[in-house]
Amino acid sequence: MYKIAVIGDYGSIYGFATLGLSICPVKTREEAKNKLKQLAEGKYGIIYITEAVAAEIKEEIEKYQEQTLPAIIQIP
């Protein structure tokens, strides 16, 4: 069974922990790129990412567009 994660700044994503999702707070562009790569290679089927962070690592997200898993979904 695949897991679900959320990447973004802590203030925007901490509420998702109450839903049982794995939260991955990041502060820098490099941290976000590394975390996305780590989650994509793990057992994560869905990765939600805040729009602000997604804008910073657009090229990294595009690498996964042709793959079925993980589904990377931007959240406002």
Side-chain angles (χ1 to χ4, degrees):
M1 187 166 179
Y2 292 103
K3 297 184 252 179
I4 302 172
V6 184
I7 301 174
D9 64 279
Y10 183 79
S12 298
I13 65 169
Y14 75 93
F16 289 96
T18 60
L19 300 173
L21 306 181
S22 301
I23 61 167
C24 305
V26 294
K27 293 182 181 181
T28 66
R29 180 179 191 271
E30 205 57 40
E31 243 185 299
K33 284 174 63 174
N34 292 336
K35 184 54 74 173
L36 178 61
K37 186 176 181 180
Q38 177 188 3
L39 294 173
E41 292 172 356
K43 295 258 184 197
Y44 288 87
I46 301 173
I47 301 171
Y48 291 105
I49 187 166
T50 61
E51 286 179 337
V53 173
E56 292 182 24
I57 60 167
K58 193 173 218 166
E59 69 285 342
E60 191 71 25
I61 293 172
E62 288 174 359
K63 293 179 183 178
Y64 300 100
Q65 293 299 322
E66 298 298 319
Q67 297 180 9
T68 305
L69 291 174
I72 299 173
I73 303 167
Q74 292 185 30
I75 54 174

